[in-house]
Amino acid sequence: MDAMSVLIAVWAILTTVLAGLLIYRGTLSMHEDDQIFLDSAESHLEQEQRELMVRMNRLRPYVNVLAASSGVLVLAMAGLWVWRAL
């Protein structure tokens, strides 16, 4: 197995996980409201929005790391391809 095959396999796995996290984050953000006007009877909705924001904020570092890793691997694959062509 050569280096390009390994890079492609790792990139495919990372990008698949990244796509899954982005889809999950998208489904979470569908339930997010920008503004909520609540009275005391609907205070449970405020708690739900806070929990939703905690989940989305917990996902952010993983999405950032996976996106950066995927980008670095694409650049590495392109560099390896150019290096082999020369």
Side-chain angles (χ1 to χ4, degrees):
M1 213 175 200
D2 63 335
M4 186 65 96
S5 298
V6 171
L7 286 176
I8 290 172
V10 171
W11 174 80
I13 291 168
L14 284 178
T15 305
T16 302
V17 172
L18 175 63
L21 283 178
L22 289 174
I23 291 169
Y24 178 64
R25 188 177 72 175
T27 59
L28 286 178
S29 67
M30 285 191 312
H31 302 290
E32 179 185 19
D33 295 325
D34 291 337
Q35 291 183 352
I36 300 178
F37 301 102
L38 302 172
D39 58 4
S40 60
E42 297 171 333
S43 63
H44 68 281
L45 294 175
E46 180 182 6
Q47 181 63 27
E48 288 177 9
Q49 288 297 311
R50 285 185 184 158
E51 290 172 3
L52 184 64
M53 290 305 298
V54 167
R55 283 188 203 161
M56 290 181 67
N57 289 335
R58 199 178 309 144
L59 281 178
R60 182 175 296 136
Y62 296 110
V63 170
N64 290 343
V65 166
L66 286 172
S69 299
S70 180
V72 167
L73 282 173
V74 166
L75 292 176
M77 288 186 297
L80 184 60
W81 180 74
V82 167
W83 183 58
R84 284 185 177 179
L86 296 177

